[in-house]
Amino acid sequence: MKMITGIATAALCAVTLASASAQPAGRGPGQGPVITQCKAELAKYCAGKAHDGTARACLEANKAKVSAACKTALDTTGGGRGRKK
C-alpha cells in the first residue's frame, strides 16, 4: 500500500512540475496589454507588422486614430510608460 501511495505521489509531482514548466515565465509577444487592447487597430492600420517593436511603432504613428483603450495601453506600457499624454 505504501508503495502505491508513493508511486501515486511521485506521479502527481511529475504532472505538477510538467504543467508548471509549460507555463511561460512572463508575457511573450502577443500576450500583453497592447496586443489585447489594440487588436482591431493592429489589424486595420498595422497588418503584417512584426511583434519586434515594428507593430508598436506603427500603432504609435497612428495614435490619433486608435481607441481610447489602445491609447491607454500604449501610454502605460513599454516605451510609452510614464510618457506625458
Side-chain angles (χ1 to χ4, degrees):
M1 183 69 170
K2 285 184 181 183
M3 183 182 236
I4 293 172
T5 303
I7 292 171
T9 302
L12 181 60
C13 288
V15 169
T16 302
L17 288 173
S19 67
S21 65
Q23 300 297 318
R27 289 186 193 158
Q31 298 176 356
V34 172
I35 189 74
T36 303
Q37 298 300 320
C38 303
K39 221 171 240 198
E41 291 85 346
L42 282 165
K44 185 173 183 178
Y45 304 116
C46 308
K49 301 290 183 186
H51 290 284
D52 61 357
T54 308
R56 187 184 182 104
C58 175
L59 288 171
E60 292 283 356
N62 288 286
K63 202 169 187 178
K65 303 174 196 172
V66 302
S67 68
C70 181
K71 281 181 189 171
T72 298
L74 289 168
D75 289 340
T76 59
T77 63
R81 190 176 303 138
R83 196 181 285 171
K84 290 191 177 194
K85 297 172 191 169

